[in-house]
Amino acid sequence: MSSKQLEQFLTENLEDLKGKGLYNVIDPLQSANGPMITINGKSLINLSSNNYLGLATDSRLKKAAAEAVERYGVGAGAVRTINGTLDIHLELEEKLAKFKQTEAAIAYQSGFNCNMAAISAVMDKNDAILSDELNHASIIDGCRLSRAKIIRFNHSDMKDLRAKAKEAKESGQYNKIMVITDGVFSMDGDIAKLPEIVEIAEEFDLITYVDDAHGSGVLGKGAGTVKHFGLSDRIDFQIGTLSKAIGVVGGYVAGKRDLIDWLKVRSRPFLFSTALTPADVAASIKAIELLTASSELNERLWDNADYLKEGLQKLGFDIGNSETPITPCIIGDEVKTQEFSKRLNEKGVYAKSIVFPTVPKGTGRVRNMPSAAHTKAMLDEALAIYETVGKEMGVIQ
Ligand SMILES: *Cc1c(COP(=O)(O)O)cnc(C)c1O
């Protein structure tokens, strides 16, 4: 018998969400998450994944994963510090450090885990963290876990950051102060103002932490936002994910050797959660090798992104201020945005609507994620469908 309290809690809250239209129904894929996907037996142009470079289905990564399964099996068998560290975990970490131009790197089971791990390994209740108001949920949770004082600054507002950094420093209340930001913000596709953040950090002796989940593989010819700005030796923590452009699953922190050594003895997801599987590690190594050897996939990604953006703009859509391949198509009204996405889906384009409270009220958008794996024919087809739905719904003329 289940608890009455729990039953009541779940019934009330589920009904509430469903009543507000906020209950998310998940569509399972009957195919790989490539440029085309199959949902409910229907083939759709996929503009929703974070598989920026198409590596999730790359034959070279699949081969590397299969070989690793043959050699090491399907599981690492233990946490990293007992005997779950395989030689390939170390090889991956060395390759990541080289790729990020840092002294060392440490791999985790996900990008989310990196933020659970790294922030609280260094920050505690006597510290303060200056956090961009639009930072990712895992950064917010990681900050909370550390029990440091969280001071939010207005999104990418350097005047506000500077004022709050000054105030925190001059208060003398905190042992350490950190500034933490996404490298690329996933809802609008804008880039953090890292050169100014670094200047402010150097002025007030702040620890710098950049979560570059959406920048790695995309900016800086693939090496990320920090590299894009030439700041590799001036950022303390560089977080990356292996789950987006790298196409696999996992995450990493890159930085100075001492920092990584500390995380290996003090970060809890490293100490208390089983290591990345051999297949994930081998596929990630292959991806990093491919990105280091050639910028071809990166160039194709940008080429496709520019093509889609130009096409949508020519049709008359508002695509916001994105500086990256993330391409929002701003519709405005929440209900209209959801209807727009639904009609795209019916006609053959899978692009998700993102509405309040994820983005501010009245800025509902359909978010498009073009990739290196899309062909021009797929993008042309998607643009034709956008034109039809846009005219049908009076969003464009
Ligand atoms: C996606 C994302 C994560 C989570 O990464 P996973 O590897 O999927 O767990 C963390 N931080 C940011 C900024 C992200 O965009």
Short mmCIF file of all heavy atoms in Angstrom, two decimals, residues 99-151:
data_model
loop_
_atom_site.label_atom_id
_atom_site.label_comp_id
_atom_site.label_asym_id
_atom_site.label_seq_id
_atom_site.Cartn_x
_atom_site.Cartn_y
_atom_site.Cartn_z
N PHE A 99 43.40 19.16 -25.68
CA PHE A 99 42.36 19.80 -26.49
C PHE A 99 41.99 21.17 -25.90
O PHE A 99 41.79 22.14 -26.61
CB PHE A 99 41.14 18.87 -26.50
CG PHE A 99 40.00 19.30 -27.39
CD1 PHE A 99 40.20 19.55 -28.73
CD2 PHE A 99 38.72 19.40 -26.87
CE1 PHE A 99 39.14 19.92 -29.55
CE2 PHE A 99 37.65 19.76 -27.68
CZ PHE A 99 37.87 20.03 -29.02
N LYS A 100 41.93 21.23 -24.55
CA LYS A 100 41.53 22.48 -23.87
C LYS A 100 42.74 23.36 -23.55
O LYS A 100 42.59 24.43 -22.96
CB LYS A 100 40.81 22.13 -22.56
CG LYS A 100 39.43 21.55 -22.78
CD LYS A 100 38.43 22.65 -23.08
CE LYS A 100 37.22 22.12 -23.80
NZ LYS A 100 36.18 23.12 -23.98
N GLN A 101 43.93 22.89 -23.87
CA GLN A 101 45.17 23.62 -23.57
C GLN A 101 45.29 23.95 -22.08
O GLN A 101 45.59 25.07 -21.70
CB GLN A 101 45.24 24.91 -24.40
CG GLN A 101 45.28 24.63 -25.89
CD GLN A 101 45.44 25.88 -26.71
OE1 GLN A 101 44.86 26.93 -26.42
NE2 GLN A 101 46.25 25.80 -27.76
N THR A 102 45.05 22.93 -21.26
CA THR A 102 45.24 23.08 -19.81
C THR A 102 46.23 22.02 -19.34
O THR A 102 46.57 21.11 -20.09
CB THR A 102 43.91 22.91 -19.05
OG1 THR A 102 43.38 21.60 -19.34
CG2 THR A 102 42.89 23.96 -19.44
N GLU A 103 46.67 22.12 -18.09
CA GLU A 103 47.63 21.15 -17.57
C GLU A 103 47.02 19.76 -17.41
O GLU A 103 47.69 18.75 -17.59
CB GLU A 103 48.15 21.62 -16.19
CG GLU A 103 49.09 22.80 -16.27
CD GLU A 103 49.53 23.29 -14.90
OE1 GLU A 103 49.29 22.62 -13.87
OE2 GLU A 103 50.13 24.38 -14.86
N ALA A 104 45.75 19.72 -17.01
CA ALA A 104 45.14 18.43 -16.71
C ALA A 104 43.62 18.49 -16.88
O ALA A 104 43.05 19.58 -17.07
CB ALA A 104 45.49 18.03 -15.27
N ALA A 105 42.98 17.32 -16.82
CA ALA A 105 41.52 17.25 -16.89
C ALA A 105 41.04 16.03 -16.12
O ALA A 105 41.80 15.09 -15.89
CB ALA A 105 41.06 17.18 -18.34
N ILE A 106 39.79 16.07 -15.68
CA ILE A 106 39.17 14.95 -14.98
C ILE A 106 37.80 14.69 -15.62
O ILE A 106 37.07 15.65 -15.91
CB ILE A 106 39.03 15.25 -13.46
CG1 ILE A 106 38.30 14.11 -12.72
CG2 ILE A 106 38.33 16.57 -13.20
CD1 ILE A 106 38.28 14.29 -11.19
N ALA A 107 37.51 13.41 -15.87
CA ALA A 107 36.24 13.07 -16.53
C ALA A 107 35.21 12.62 -15.50
O ALA A 107 35.55 11.97 -14.51
CB ALA A 107 36.47 11.95 -17.56
N TYR A 108 33.96 12.98 -15.75
CA TYR A 108 32.83 12.56 -14.91
C TYR A 108 31.78 11.88 -15.78
O TYR A 108 31.89 11.88 -17.00
CB TYR A 108 32.20 13.78 -14.22
CG TYR A 108 33.08 14.40 -13.16
CD1 TYR A 108 33.93 15.46 -13.48
CD2 TYR A 108 33.08 13.93 -11.86
CE1 TYR A 108 34.74 16.04 -12.51
CE2 TYR A 108 33.89 14.50 -10.89
CZ TYR A 108 34.71 15.56 -11.22
OH TYR A 108 35.51 16.11 -10.26
N GLN A 109 30.76 11.36 -15.12
CA GLN A 109 29.73 10.59 -15.82
C GLN A 109 28.77 11.47 -16.62
O GLN A 109 28.06 10.98 -17.49
CB GLN A 109 28.92 9.75 -14.82
CG GLN A 109 29.77 8.84 -13.94
CD GLN A 109 30.31 9.56 -12.69
OE1 GLN A 109 30.28 10.78 -12.59
NE2 GLN A 109 30.80 8.78 -11.75
N SER A 110 28.75 12.76 -16.32
CA SER A 110 27.91 13.69 -17.10
C SER A 110 28.36 15.11 -16.82
O SER A 110 29.07 15.37 -15.83
CB SER A 110 26.43 13.54 -16.73
OG SER A 110 26.18 14.10 -15.46
N GLY A 111 27.91 16.02 -17.66
CA GLY A 111 28.16 17.44 -17.42
C GLY A 111 27.46 17.88 -16.14
O GLY A 111 27.99 18.68 -15.36
N PHE A 112 26.25 17.37 -15.94
CA PHE A 112 25.50 17.70 -14.72
C PHE A 112 26.33 17.32 -13.49
O PHE A 112 26.47 18.10 -12.54
CB PHE A 112 24.16 16.94 -14.72
CG PHE A 112 23.11 17.55 -13.83
CD1 PHE A 112 22.03 18.22 -14.37
CD2 PHE A 112 23.19 17.44 -12.45
CE1 PHE A 112 21.06 18.79 -13.56
CE2 PHE A 112 22.23 18.00 -11.63
CZ PHE A 112 21.15 18.68 -12.17
N ASN A 113 26.91 16.12 -13.53
CA ASN A 113 27.75 15.65 -12.42
C ASN A 113 28.97 16.55 -12.19
O ASN A 113 29.41 16.69 -11.05
CB ASN A 113 28.24 14.23 -12.71
CG ASN A 113 27.44 13.21 -11.93
OD1 ASN A 113 26.55 13.55 -11.15
ND2 ASN A 113 27.73 11.95 -12.15
N CYS A 114 29.53 17.10 -13.25
CA CYS A 114 30.69 18.00 -13.09
C CYS A 114 30.33 19.14 -12.15
O CYS A 114 31.11 19.51 -11.28
CB CYS A 114 31.09 18.61 -14.43
SG CYS A 114 31.89 17.48 -15.53
N ASN A 115 29.15 19.71 -12.37
CA ASN A 115 28.76 20.85 -11.53
C ASN A 115 28.41 20.43 -10.11
O ASN A 115 28.62 21.19 -9.17
CB ASN A 115 27.62 21.63 -12.19
CG ASN A 115 28.10 22.40 -13.42
OD1 ASN A 115 29.24 22.90 -13.42
ND2 ASN A 115 27.29 22.49 -14.44
N MET A 116 27.89 19.20 -9.96
CA MET A 116 27.67 18.67 -8.61
C MET A 116 29.02 18.46 -7.91
O MET A 116 29.14 18.59 -6.70
CB MET A 116 26.96 17.30 -8.66
CG MET A 116 25.57 17.30 -9.23
SD MET A 116 24.49 18.42 -8.34
CE MET A 116 24.34 19.70 -9.54
N ALA A 117 30.02 18.11 -8.71
CA ALA A 117 31.32 17.70 -8.17
C ALA A 117 32.24 18.88 -7.87
O ALA A 117 32.79 18.98 -6.77
CB ALA A 117 32.01 16.78 -9.19
N ALA A 118 32.40 19.74 -8.85
CA ALA A 118 33.53 20.67 -8.82
C ALA A 118 33.29 21.88 -7.92
O ALA A 118 34.22 22.35 -7.25
CB ALA A 118 33.85 21.13 -10.25
N ILE A 119 32.06 22.39 -7.90
CA ILE A 119 31.81 23.63 -7.15
C ILE A 119 31.98 23.37 -5.65
O ILE A 119 32.73 24.07 -4.95
CB ILE A 119 30.41 24.21 -7.48
CG1 ILE A 119 30.27 24.44 -8.98
CG2 ILE A 119 30.17 25.51 -6.70
CD1 ILE A 119 28.86 24.75 -9.45
N SER A 120 31.32 22.31 -5.17
CA SER A 120 31.35 22.06 -3.72
C SER A 120 32.67 21.44 -3.26
O SER A 120 32.92 21.36 -2.05
CB SER A 120 30.17 21.19 -3.30
OG SER A 120 30.16 20.00 -4.04
N ALA A 121 33.51 21.01 -4.20
CA ALA A 121 34.84 20.53 -3.79
C ALA A 121 35.74 21.70 -3.39
O ALA A 121 36.75 21.52 -2.70
CB ALA A 121 35.49 19.74 -4.92
N VAL A 122 35.37 22.91 -3.83
CA VAL A 122 36.24 24.06 -3.60
C VAL A 122 35.55 25.15 -2.75
O VAL A 122 36.19 25.81 -1.94
CB VAL A 122 36.69 24.65 -4.97
CG1 VAL A 122 37.37 25.99 -4.79
CG2 VAL A 122 37.64 23.66 -5.66
N MET A 123 34.23 25.31 -2.92
CA MET A 123 33.52 26.39 -2.24
C MET A 123 32.73 25.84 -1.05
O MET A 123 32.20 24.73 -1.12
CB MET A 123 32.56 27.08 -3.22
CG MET A 123 33.23 27.58 -4.50
SD MET A 123 34.56 28.77 -4.22
CE MET A 123 33.61 30.27 -3.94
N ASP A 124 32.64 26.63 0.03
CA ASP A 124 31.84 26.20 1.18
C ASP A 124 31.07 27.37 1.78
O ASP A 124 31.00 28.45 1.18
CB ASP A 124 32.73 25.51 2.23
CG ASP A 124 33.77 26.45 2.81
OD1 ASP A 124 33.49 27.67 2.92
OD2 ASP A 124 34.88 25.98 3.15
N LYS A 125 30.52 27.17 2.94
CA LYS A 125 29.57 28.15 3.50
C LYS A 125 30.22 29.49 3.86
O LYS A 125 29.52 30.46 4.10
CB LYS A 125 28.82 27.57 4.69
CG LYS A 125 29.68 27.20 5.89
CD LYS A 125 28.77 26.66 6.97
CE LYS A 125 29.43 26.32 8.28
NZ LYS A 125 30.88 26.22 8.38
N ASN A 126 31.52 29.55 3.89
CA ASN A 126 32.19 30.82 4.17
C ASN A 126 32.55 31.59 2.90
O ASN A 126 33.24 32.61 2.96
CB ASN A 126 33.46 30.56 4.98
CG ASN A 126 33.15 29.86 6.29
OD1 ASN A 126 32.27 30.29 7.03
ND2 ASN A 126 33.83 28.76 6.55
N ASP A 127 32.08 31.08 1.75
CA ASP A 127 32.44 31.67 0.46
C ASP A 127 31.21 32.29 -0.21
O ASP A 127 30.09 32.10 0.24
CB ASP A 127 33.02 30.59 -0.45
CG ASP A 127 34.28 29.96 0.13
OD1 ASP A 127 35.06 30.68 0.78
OD2 ASP A 127 34.48 28.75 -0.07
N ALA A 128 31.45 32.99 -1.32
CA ALA A 128 30.35 33.54 -2.12
C ALA A 128 30.55 33.21 -3.59
O ALA A 128 31.69 33.10 -4.06
CB ALA A 128 30.27 35.05 -1.94
N ILE A 129 29.44 33.04 -4.30
CA ILE A 129 29.49 32.75 -5.74
C ILE A 129 28.64 33.77 -6.48
O ILE A 129 27.45 33.91 -6.22
CB ILE A 129 28.98 31.33 -6.04
CG1 ILE A 129 29.75 30.27 -5.24
CG2 ILE A 129 29.09 31.05 -7.54
CD1 ILE A 129 29.20 28.86 -5.40
N LEU A 130 29.27 34.49 -7.41
CA LEU A 130 28.56 35.41 -8.30
C LEU A 130 28.10 34.60 -9.51
O LEU A 130 28.94 34.03 -10.23
CB LEU A 130 29.50 36.53 -8.73
CG LEU A 130 29.98 37.43 -7.58
CD1 LEU A 130 31.35 38.01 -7.87
CD2 LEU A 130 28.96 38.53 -7.32
N SER A 131 26.79 34.52 -9.73
CA SER A 131 26.24 33.59 -10.72
C SER A 131 25.31 34.32 -11.69
O SER A 131 24.37 35.01 -11.27
CB SER A 131 25.48 32.48 -9.97
OG SER A 131 24.83 31.62 -10.86
N ASP A 132 25.56 34.17 -12.99
CA ASP A 132 24.68 34.79 -14.00
C ASP A 132 23.26 34.26 -13.81
O ASP A 132 23.06 33.05 -13.64
CB ASP A 132 25.19 34.47 -15.41
CG ASP A 132 24.45 35.24 -16.49
OD1 ASP A 132 23.25 34.97 -16.74
OD2 ASP A 132 25.08 36.13 -17.10
N GLU A 133 22.27 35.15 -13.90
CA GLU A 133 20.88 34.74 -13.61
C GLU A 133 20.36 33.70 -14.61
O GLU A 133 19.40 33.00 -14.31
CB GLU A 133 19.95 35.96 -13.59
CG GLU A 133 19.83 36.64 -14.94
CD GLU A 133 18.86 37.81 -14.95
OE1 GLU A 133 17.99 37.84 -14.07
OE2 GLU A 133 18.98 38.67 -15.83
N LEU A 134 21.00 33.57 -15.78
CA LEU A 134 20.51 32.59 -16.75
C LEU A 134 21.35 31.31 -16.77
O LEU A 134 21.25 30.52 -17.70
CB LEU A 134 20.44 33.20 -18.16
CG LEU A 134 19.41 34.31 -18.37
CD1 LEU A 134 19.29 34.65 -19.86
CD2 LEU A 134 18.03 33.93 -17.81
N ASN A 135 22.18 31.11 -15.75
CA ASN A 135 22.99 29.90 -15.72
C ASN A 135 22.14 28.63 -15.71
O ASN A 135 21.02 28.61 -15.22
CB ASN A 135 23.91 29.90 -14.48
CG ASN A 135 25.19 30.69 -14.72
OD1 ASN A 135 25.56 30.96 -15.87
ND2 ASN A 135 25.87 31.06 -13.65
N HIS A 136 22.72 27.57 -16.26
CA HIS A 136 22.06 26.26 -16.37
C HIS A 136 21.67 25.69 -15.00
O HIS A 136 22.34 25.93 -14.00
CB HIS A 136 23.05 25.30 -17.06
CG HIS A 136 22.46 23.97 -17.43
ND1 HIS A 136 22.66 22.84 -16.69
CD2 HIS A 136 21.70 23.60 -18.48
CE1 HIS A 136 22.04 21.82 -17.27
NE2 HIS A 136 21.46 22.25 -18.36
N ALA A 137 20.60 24.90 -14.99
CA ALA A 137 20.08 24.30 -13.75
C ALA A 137 21.16 23.55 -12.95
O ALA A 137 21.17 23.60 -11.71
CB ALA A 137 18.94 23.35 -14.09
N SER A 138 22.06 22.89 -13.65
CA SER A 138 23.08 22.10 -12.92
C SER A 138 24.09 23.02 -12.23
O SER A 138 24.66 22.65 -11.19
CB SER A 138 23.80 21.14 -13.87
OG SER A 138 24.44 21.83 -14.91
N ILE A 139 24.30 24.21 -12.76
CA ILE A 139 25.17 25.18 -12.09
C ILE A 139 24.46 25.67 -10.82
O ILE A 139 25.07 25.74 -9.74
CB ILE A 139 25.50 26.39 -13.00
CG1 ILE A 139 26.24 25.93 -14.26
CG2 ILE A 139 26.28 27.45 -12.24
CD1 ILE A 139 26.60 27.06 -15.22
N ILE A 140 23.19 25.97 -10.97
CA ILE A 140 22.40 26.46 -9.82
C ILE A 140 22.41 25.41 -8.71
O ILE A 140 22.69 25.72 -7.54
CB ILE A 140 20.95 26.79 -10.27
CG1 ILE A 140 20.99 27.96 -11.27
CG2 ILE A 140 20.06 27.11 -9.07
CD1 ILE A 140 19.68 28.20 -12.00
N ASP A 141 22.17 24.16 -9.06
CA ASP A 141 22.16 23.09 -8.05
C ASP A 141 23.54 22.88 -7.45
O ASP A 141 23.68 22.65 -6.25
CB ASP A 141 21.65 21.77 -8.65
CG ASP A 141 20.15 21.80 -8.92
OD1 ASP A 141 19.55 22.87 -8.74
OD2 ASP A 141 19.59 20.77 -9.32
N GLY A 142 24.57 22.94 -8.29
CA GLY A 142 25.95 22.78 -7.80
C GLY A 142 26.31 23.88 -6.81
O GLY A 142 26.96 23.63 -5.79
N CYS A 143 25.88 25.10 -7.10
CA CYS A 143 26.13 26.22 -6.18
C CYS A 143 25.42 25.99 -4.85
O CYS A 143 25.99 26.18 -3.78
CB CYS A 143 25.65 27.54 -6.80
SG CYS A 143 26.65 28.09 -8.19
N ARG A 144 24.14 25.56 -4.92
CA ARG A 144 23.38 25.31 -3.69
C ARG A 144 24.05 24.26 -2.83
O ARG A 144 24.12 24.38 -1.61
CB ARG A 144 21.97 24.82 -4.04
CG ARG A 144 21.07 25.92 -4.55
CD ARG A 144 19.68 25.36 -4.77
NE ARG A 144 18.83 26.35 -5.39
CZ ARG A 144 17.84 26.06 -6.22
NH1 ARG A 144 17.56 24.80 -6.53
NH2 ARG A 144 17.12 27.01 -6.74
N LEU A 145 24.52 23.21 -3.49
CA LEU A 145 25.15 22.09 -2.78
C LEU A 145 26.37 22.54 -1.98
O LEU A 145 26.68 21.99 -0.93
CB LEU A 145 25.56 21.04 -3.82
CG LEU A 145 25.85 19.62 -3.38
CD1 LEU A 145 24.66 19.01 -2.65
CD2 LEU A 145 26.19 18.77 -4.61
N SER A 146 27.05 23.58 -2.48
CA SER A 146 28.27 24.04 -1.81
C SER A 146 27.97 24.82 -0.52
O SER A 146 28.84 24.99 0.31
CB SER A 146 29.06 24.95 -2.75
OG SER A 146 28.46 26.23 -2.82
N ARG A 147 26.74 25.30 -0.40
CA ARG A 147 26.28 26.13 0.73
C ARG A 147 26.96 27.51 0.78
O ARG A 147 26.85 28.23 1.77
CB ARG A 147 26.44 25.39 2.06
CG ARG A 147 25.45 24.23 2.16
CD ARG A 147 25.89 23.12 3.08
NE ARG A 147 25.97 23.52 4.46
CZ ARG A 147 26.89 23.05 5.32
NH1 ARG A 147 27.79 22.19 4.91
NH2 ARG A 147 26.90 23.46 6.56
N ALA A 148 27.61 27.88 -0.30
CA ALA A 148 28.17 29.24 -0.37
C ALA A 148 27.02 30.22 -0.57
O ALA A 148 25.93 29.86 -1.00
CB ALA A 148 29.14 29.34 -1.54
N LYS A 149 27.26 31.49 -0.25
CA LYS A 149 26.28 32.54 -0.50
C LYS A 149 26.19 32.75 -2.02
O LYS A 149 27.21 32.99 -2.69
CB LYS A 149 26.75 33.84 0.18
CG LYS A 149 26.00 35.07 -0.22
CD LYS A 149 24.67 35.18 0.48
CE LYS A 149 23.97 36.48 0.07
NZ LYS A 149 22.58 36.48 0.57
N ILE A 150 24.98 32.64 -2.57
CA ILE A 150 24.82 32.80 -4.02
C ILE A 150 24.36 34.22 -4.32
O ILE A 150 23.33 34.67 -3.82
CB ILE A 150 23.82 31.77 -4.59
CG1 ILE A 150 24.35 30.35 -4.33
CG2 ILE A 150 23.60 32.00 -6.08
CD1 ILE A 150 23.31 29.26 -4.45
N ILE A 151 25.14 34.95 -5.12
CA ILE A 151 24.80 36.33 -5.49
C ILE A 151 24.55 36.35 -6.99
O ILE A 151 25.48 36.18 -7.78
CB ILE A 151 25.95 37.30 -5.13
CG1 ILE A 151 26.29 37.18 -3.62
CG2 ILE A 151 25.58 38.73 -5.50
CD1 ILE A 151 27.61 37.87 -3.24
#
